[in-house]
Every structure is written in C-alpha cells, then in structure tokens.
C-alpha cells in the first residue's frame, strides 16, 4: 500500500453521560448540569480513533482535534491529544447552541483554509440528538460526504467506506478531500496511556473565538417525557402465552 | 397561506411508508398555515411516476417526478442538488423529510445548501406566529425539547411512525423534471450494494419489531426471533448492542442509544434485560412485551405485558399462538 502523509481533522463534542435521570434547569430551557459527568462523545471517540489509525499507517500524518464551546471543552480536546492527536483548536463560545447550522458554520469557517484531506465527525451526539453537523459542514465546504460509515480504508488519494442504508449496505469510493461521519462498529477507541496524557499537556492547543451566526433554532422549553406506566407480569412460562395473545388482541389491539 | 414541500423516499420502484408520512405531515402543515399547496418530490427509476396518484391521495397537490435509472437507489448528491434547487425556486414555508438513514443524510445537506437550520427526529409540529414550532427528543429521549424555528424554509425530518399516512385526496398533478445534478457522475461512487431482501421491512418503519438479546445465548438461536417475526408477518427483527457487538447480528440491526430508534405499534423483547442504552432506542414503542427469565430485569419496568420464563419455551409457544391468531383474521 502506498504510504502518504494525510492531514486529518476530527470535530468533537463534550457530552454528559446519559445513564442518569436528567433534571430540567430553573430556566426551563436547559438541563441541570449539577452532578452530571461529561466526556468525549462516543461517536467522536471512534472518529478520533479512525484518524489515529490512518496516522499510524501513513508516516508524517497529522491529526487536529477541534471543539466548539466554553473553556471546559479544552479538557475534551486534551483527551483527543492524549489518545495521540497532534494539536487542538478550541473555538470559544459561551455555550454550544442547539442549532446545528450555527455550529457547522463556525466549524466550516475554521476548517475551510486548513488544507485537510479528511474531516471526521461522530455521526451524532446523544445530547442534542440531531445528527446534522458533519453533513452540513461537507455542504458548506462543497466536499464529498459519506455519513454513518462502519468501515474505512484510504489509499492512493482515495477512500472506501461502508455505510448502512435501510435494507442495504453500500461500499462507496470517494476522492480526497472529503467529510465522513462515523457510526458504531468502525473501531474500538483506544484509551489514553499515562505517557499519552503527559505528552498531551505539551501539545499545542489554540483557542480563538467561534464565528457563530445568529441561531435560527431556539429551545423554548424542555420537559421530561411522561414516565412509562410500569406494566404487569401476566404469568410464567408458556402457560402465560394464551393470556398474552388475548391482551394483544383485545386490550392493545395490535394483533 | 403557504406551500409546503415534501421529500418522498423511495426504494427501487416503491414509495416507502415514510414517504407517505412526509406527504401527510406536509399536508397537515399546509392546512395549519391556511391551506397552501403540498408539492411532493418523487425521485426514482423510470416508471416511478405511476406512484404520483398515491401521493395525491395522501394530500399532494403537485408531484414533481424525476425519473432516472441511476435513481433506483438513494443517490445523495443528486437528491441533495435536486431537492435544494426545487425548494429554493418553490419559495416554500417548510420542507418535510424523514428521519430514516436516507433522510438523516439528506435533510441536513439540503438545509446547509439553503443556508437554514434543520431539526431531525421531529415528534410533532405546530405554527406559532411566524415560527414553526417542533418537539424533538434530546438526551436519548430522556428530555423532550420544544424548538422554535425562525428560518425560512423550516426544514424538518419527521421521526418514522409518529404520523400515520392519512387519506386527503388532492390533484397530485404530475410535473416532470430533471435531476439538478447528474446522478450517474457523482463524486462519491457506490462500488457495491449488498441488498437486503426487498420485502424485508425496515426496523424504523415496521409496525411490529421483535428484538433479541443475550438471553438467546447463541447466534443460531435468533431463529426463534425470526420465526416469531414471520408469524406476525409485519415485523422486523432487531437486536441489542451486546448481540451486535458479539457479531450475532449486523450493526444495522442494533436498537438503542448508538443504534436505531424505533417506535412500532408493538415491540417484543426476547431475552433482553433492558439496559439504559437499549431502552433509549425503543421506549416510545406503543405496546411493549417482554419475555425474560429474570423477573427483576429492568425491561419489565417499561413492558406493558411481561412473561417470566425461558425464552426457548415461551417464544415457540407464542409463535404458534400468533400464527393461529393471524389465521383467524
């Protein structure tokens, strides 16, 4: 395989751990962050891993980790650096807007002149659950885009990737530069080593204001969904099957 | 009064159910704004225009038909260019897409070209003053956000299965058009397509989902789940993350936080304990049935009907009973 250095960017987000019961803040438009644990979004960690694997295979490659948000997101960028990325860019903003178009605009402004061969995103973040930023950046930069990939190879200035569509799996080929969004199954993200954590402290991390446009989306209210009524255990073993079928026919009316 | 655009997803020469849902949603939005027209964009292989009448039945005043042999499968670049151009020239108040795998790819691309925002996975919508207001699940469905959209057009992608395709006959007048980008010369090229069976229902659209977890003990035992799904006849098969991580099923079948989100009429969980990550993908199902040998499994907290027992005993019995019940219908 031809070895050639590639310039890679990975856009990442700091997100709360989802395995909790969320509370709505006093303003009714934000989640109460007290007690929440934050980390690098899983999908973004797989995107960082994909970039690092390409760097490992292609000597001289460089991986830049980019994140938009308040100063605290520098921690998330440092995590990417401790995994092995080379440098970080922090696009400073008071908060991360829900509006994916605004976020994509700020990222595209930063990425535009970076000369990247490949720009990677996680396919979505669980907090906003909107999954639009990567594809939007691709369009803004007029770059080819493959979303939700679950395999990736780069050789001779071209990439191939696998993506899932309803009822089909596609293997696609794309020219570089390109934008990719990463699905689960692409890889398993490495954990930062102690050496990596120490090295990350000395790696360059540039902070500059994010060029966010006026948002077009405003969250006007957050609420917790109604709790699902705990159901009933209708019986044990195969003996309960007739009762279940009857309930599905007469009560749930789904059979 | 304002016109509303709908993107109709196709698969081969068929209109997908989410396509009818998009037209229905667009009709509802147009009616809420005082009775504008619905213009549905139908991309597909030659002959797809035969489906225009069906879209008219669901409320499309105009069906923009773009036929091309290279549009038999989803073609992101041609679809993006064609939809963006039509929306721009049509002066629509809103454009409705679907939050399917295609729609997740397409809707943000079209929005970016138009310089507007997009909300995906929309649960419901309304008009308040000048703005379209939508509800959207955040934090893997543990929080529901109400979002006001000030951009024009407002681009929304509906969650599958939240709006039932409704009859609301309109003219469905066909307007033939050309793709705005050549579907045969795209930058991203499909080298190979591994087609699932055409009649296989998609997880996000199936009225019934039967899903299996670790309780099945081995990949080959998924036959039990498949048999139950085929007894229902209108069911798709899903799996938990543990199962797809172990390679028993493809990743595409995974239901959960990092996989697919489903809201079927009926969800049957077979040998699934009910981890938070799994519940995130299915808790909005209308009726949930759980079969698990552990009576304390968290899945029973969200299940409407639970059976405690050995899946190897209960599931074949349920399969027979469902087959019998379907026979008498």
């Amino acid at each position: 395989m031809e070895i050639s250095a590639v310039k890679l960017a990975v856009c990442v987000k700091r997100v709360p751990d989802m395995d909790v019961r969320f509370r709505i803040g006093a303003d009714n438009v934000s989640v109460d962050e007290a007690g929440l644990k934050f980390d690098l979004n899983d999908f973004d960690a797989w995107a960082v891993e994909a970039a690092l694997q390409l760097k490992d295979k292609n000597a001289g490659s460089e991986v830049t980790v980019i994140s938009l948000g308040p100063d605290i997101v520098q921690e998330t960028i440092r995590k990417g650096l401790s995994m092995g990325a080379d440098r970080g860019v922090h696009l400073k903003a008071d908060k991360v807007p829900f509006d994916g178009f605004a976020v994509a605009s700020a990222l595209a402004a930063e990425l535009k002149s970076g000369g990247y061969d490949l720009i990677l995103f996680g396919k979505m973040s669980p907090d906003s659950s909107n999954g639009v930023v990567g594809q939007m950046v691709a369009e803004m930069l007029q770059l080819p885009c493959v979303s939700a990939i679950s395999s990736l190879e780069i050789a001779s200035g071209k990439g191939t990737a696998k993506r899932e569509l309803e009822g089909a799996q596609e293997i696609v080929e794309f020219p570089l530069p390109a934008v990719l969004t990463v699905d689960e199954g692409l890889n398993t993200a490495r954990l930062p080593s102690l050496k990596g954590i120490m090295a990350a402290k000395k790696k360059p991390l540039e902070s500059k204001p994010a060029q966010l446009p006026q948002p077009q989306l405003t969250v006007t209210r957050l609420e917790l969904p109604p709790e699902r009524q705990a159901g009933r255990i209708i019986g044990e073993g195969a003996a309960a099957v007739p009762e279940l079928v009857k309930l599905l026919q007469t009560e749930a009316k789904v059979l | 009064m304002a016109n509303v655009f709908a993107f109709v997803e196709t698969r081969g020469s068929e209109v997908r159910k989410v396509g009818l849902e998009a037209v229905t949603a667009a009709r509802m939005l147009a009616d809420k704004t005082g009775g504008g027209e619905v213009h549905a964009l139908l991309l597909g292989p030659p002959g797809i225009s035969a489906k225009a009448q069906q879209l008219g039945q669901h409320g499309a005043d105009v069906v923009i038909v773009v036929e091309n042999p290279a549009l038999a499968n989803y073609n992101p670049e041609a679809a993006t260019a064609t939809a963006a151009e039509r929306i721009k020239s049509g002066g629509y108040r809103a454009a409705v897409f679907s939050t399917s795998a295609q729609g997740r790819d397409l809707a943000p691309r079209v929005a970016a070209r138009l310089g507007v925002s997009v909300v995906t996975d929309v649960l419901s919508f309304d008009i308040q003053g000048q703005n379209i207001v939508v509800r959207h699940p955040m934090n893997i469905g543990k929080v529901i956000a109400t979002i006001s959209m000030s951009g024009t057009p407002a681009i929304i992608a509906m969650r599958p299965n939240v709006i039932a395709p409704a009859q609301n006959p309109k003219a469905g007048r066909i307007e033939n058009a050309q793709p705005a980008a050549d579907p045969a010369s795209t930058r991203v090229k499909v080298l190979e397509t591994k087609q699932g069976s055409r009649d296989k229902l998609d997880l996000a659209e199936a009225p019934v989902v039967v899903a299996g977890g670790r309780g099945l003990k081995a990949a080959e035992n998924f036959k039990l789940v498949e048999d139950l799904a085929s007894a229902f006849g209108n069911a798709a098969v899903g799996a938990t993350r543990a199962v797809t991580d172990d390679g028993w099923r493809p990743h595409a079948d995974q239901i959960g936080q990092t996989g697919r989100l489903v809201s079927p009429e009926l969800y049957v969980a077979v040998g699934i304990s009910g981890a938070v990550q799994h519940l995130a993908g299915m808790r909005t199902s209308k009726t949930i049935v759980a079969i698990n040998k552990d009576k304390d499994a968290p899945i029973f907290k969200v299940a409407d009907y639970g059976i405690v027992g050995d899946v190897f005993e209960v599931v074949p019995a349920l399969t027979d009973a469902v087959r019998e019940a379907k026979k008498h219908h």
Side-chain angles (χ1 to χ4, degrees), chain A residues 221-241:
Chain A
R221 189 186 143 123
L222 290 185
E223 62 200 300
L224 302 178
E227 288 279 329
R228 240 196 129 85
Q229 295 281 323
R232 55 189 193 267
I233 290 185
I234 55 176
E236 289 188 17
V241 164

Side-chain angles (χ1 to χ4, degrees), chain B residues 124-196:
Chain B
S124 63
F125 48 76
D126 205 350
I127 312 267
Q128 283 175 11
Q130 293 301 303
N131 291 356
I132 289 178
V133 175
V134 298
R135 290 174 76 250
H136 162 88
M138 287 174 65
N139 294 27
I140 64 169
K142 291 183 167 188
V143 174
I144 307 293
T146 303
I147 296 160
S148 180
M149 308 182 72
S150 64
T152 301
I155 312 267
I156 64 173
M158 297 302 302
R159 172 181 276 207
N161 273 341
V162 301
I163 287 181
Q167 296 286 323
N168 190 342
K170 299 284 172 190
R173 179 165 54 80
I174 292 180
E175 189 186 305
N176 289 301
Q178 294 299 313
D182 181 1
S185 63
T186 53
R187 291 176 296 181
V188 177
K189 299 206 182 308
V190 178
L191 299 181
E192 190 188 339
T193 304
K194 289 179 196 160
Q195 203 71 250

Side-chain angles (χ1 to χ4, degrees), chain B residues 66-90:
Chain B
V66 178
E67 293 188 340
N68 188 297
L71 292 174
N73 290 316
Y74 172 55
N75 187 311
E77 291 170 42
T80 300
T82 308
E85 195 184 278
R86 294 304 304 206
I87 296 170
K88 191 175 250 173
S89 65

Side-chain angles (χ1 to χ4, degrees), chain A residues 18 20 99 127-128 130 139 142 147 166-167 169 171 173 184 216 218 220-221 223 228 234 237 251, chain B residues 101 105 113 117 120 136 142 144 146 148 150 187 189 191-192 194 196 241 254 258 283 285 305-306 308:
Chain A
M18 292 293 141
V20 295
D99 189 341
D127 51 352
S128 47
N130 208 27
E139 288 298 327
Q142 301 183 333
S147 63
E166 281 91 357
Q169 251 186 11
I171 310 289
E173 182 183 81
E184 184 166 36
Q216 301 169 25
T218 312
T220 58
R221 189 186 143 123
E223 62 200 300
R228 240 196 129 85
I234 55 176
E251 194 175 86
Chain B
D105 184 74
R113 286 219 184 170
S117 297
T120 63
H136 162 88
K142 291 183 167 188
I144 307 293
T146 303
S148 180
S150 64
R187 291 176 296 181
K189 299 206 182 308
L191 299 181
E192 190 188 339
K194 289 179 196 160
R241 183 172 179 181
Q254 186 207 328
T258 52
R283 67 184 323 139
S285 303
Y305 310 118
V308 178

Side-chain angles (χ1 to χ4, degrees), chain B residues 255-281:
Chain B
I255 294 166
Q257 181 179 336
T258 52
R260 308 290 297 278
L261 304 175
V262 299
S263 324
E265 295 291 324
L266 174 64
Y267 189 89
V268 184
V270 176
I272 291 174
S273 64
V276 171
Q277 115 88 30
H278 182 72
L279 299 182

